[in-house]
Amino acid sequence: MVATRASDADRESCLEDIQAAYVDGRINDAERESRTHAALQATTLSELAALVADLGPAATLPKKVARVLSPKTGAATSGALSKRFLRGLLVVTLVAAVIAVALWISAAGDDDRDRSAPAPTPEQEVPKDRLELHTAAGFEKLVALTKAKFGTTIVDSAAIYPDYASIEVVLKDDDRRAENWYFAKGFEGEPSKGTRPPGAATIDLAAVDPAAYARAIKRSPAVLGVEDVTSTYVVIHDSGGEPSFSVYVRNDYSENGYWTFSLDGKELRRYAFE
């Protein structure tokens, strides 16, 4: 059976259920982040259904997603969570431990460090504090750090929050492979890895207009009619040959909307709260 493709509206509805579960205390912050990223990356209704199948009656699934669930058990008929979700969850849970070990090794090796090593370029320097990724300058720094680390700015997709991001980088020498990295103060921990379908679309982070990106984020609450915004994130991806970035906003009353642009800042569509 061919899997039914998910739309942006389906993903947004799933995100609302994940946020509601977090507010209710049914999932913790790490689970929220991992499930949110998995929902943003999901391409089928089965993947979305798996992300909210264990959230109980409070989850208000869209009808199309609900049909994917078994009427008896409420479990996804696929019988397993999406591979993207499992990989994302593993990355989130391991990041803290990996960072702690890295810091310990760094501290222990201070005295033995080669003092003659060349100083890093501005693009390679790890920020002392988290970048403000929803500003033009912060986004440009993120792009520069991506280029410095991977030798490319070609990605499968990216989800960018105010001070952290999840980026699925396409390997420079093999576009069939991708690594999903967590970015906070630089790229941290170890990535989850996966294989991409032949001919799958990619997107160049460097092609996004930083000024248009920052302007869209700043104007989104007013344009979309969402007051007292508590959550803002940007999704950069290529959907059906349409490279774009979308700004999503929501508040504690589950009022939400999104605004989609071409990479040079031309409006493609919007979904405003009414």
Side-chain angles (χ1 to χ4, degrees):
M1 181 180 296
V2 178
T4 304
R5 304 286 290 188
S7 67
D8 286 340
D10 296 327
R11 280 183 282 271
E12 177 63 22
S13 182
C14 185
L15 290 171
E16 291 180 15
D17 287 336
I18 293 169
Q19 179 66 19
Y22 171 72
V23 172
D24 292 344
R26 284 176 285 148
I27 58 175
N28 60 28
D29 191 55
E31 288 180 290
R32 178 184 64 165
E33 288 188 14
S34 62
R35 293 189 192 216
T36 294
H37 178 64
L40 294 172
Q41 304 295 332
T43 58
T44 68
L45 296 181
S46 294
E47 290 177 306
L48 294 178
L51 293 173
V52 294
D54 64 339
L55 298 185
T60 55
L61 294 172
K63 292 180 180 179
K64 288 190 294 182
V65 177
R67 285 199 296 268
V68 179
L69 299 178
S70 165
K72 293 182 179 180
T73 64
T77 55
S78 63
L81 294 178
S82 71
K83 292 181 180 179
R84 287 181 182 271
F85 169 62
L86 293 175
R87 292 199 305 266
L89 181 59
L90 180 60
V91 170
V92 171
T93 54
L94 289 179
V95 162
V98 171
I99 294 172
V101 172
L103 290 174
W104 178 80
I105 292 174
S106 176
D110 278 346
D111 293 338
D112 299 327
R113 191 170 296 159
D114 183 2
R115 303 298 181 182
S116 64
T121 65
E123 291 77 12
Q124 295 170 324
E125 290 177 351
V126 176
K128 294 181 179 179
D129 299 306
R130 292 194 179 198
L131 298 174
E132 295 181 7
L133 297 177
H134 284 179
T135 65
F139 179 76
E140 287 180 315
K141 182 65 174 180
L142 172 63
V143 174
L145 289 170
T146 301
K147 177 70 172 180
K149 182 171 181 64
F150 305 107
T152 181
T153 52
I154 302 299
V155 303
D156 188 87
S157 61
I160 305 176
Y161 294 80
D163 62 354
Y164 70 92
S166 179
I167 302 177
E168 194 159 2
V169 181
V170 177
L171 297 193
K172 181 179 180 181
D173 300 324
D174 188 350
D175 63 6
R176 290 289 305 276
R177 294 180 174 182
E179 295 181 347
N180 197 326
W181 286 84
Y182 175 78
F183 180 94
K185 291 197 301 182
F187 289 94
E188 302 175 356
E190 293 296 324
S192 59
K193 302 177 181 180
T195 301
R196 307 175 68 250
T202 59
I203 196 163
D204 187 356
L205 289 181
V208 178
D209 183 326
Y213 163 93
R215 184 168 57 250
I217 294 172
K218 184 176 182 180
R219 295 183 58 207
S220 284
V223 171
L224 299 176
V226 180
E227 299 180 350
D228 303 318
V229 170
T230 55
S231 175
T232 304
Y233 56 90
V234 181
V235 178
I236 302 174
H237 67 157
D238 187 314
S239 178
E242 183 182 67
S244 64
F245 68 88
S246 299
V247 183
Y248 292 81
V249 295
R250 61 170 291 125
N251 60 25
D252 288 339
Y253 297 94
S254 295
E255 299 165 351
N256 59 82
Y258 67 85
W259 202 5
T260 302
F261 297 85
S262 62
L263 301 189
D264 60 359
K266 296 178 182 178
E267 179 179 350
L268 298 177
R269 68 187 69 88
R270 71 174 76 173
Y271 169 77
F273 175 75
E274 296 180 355

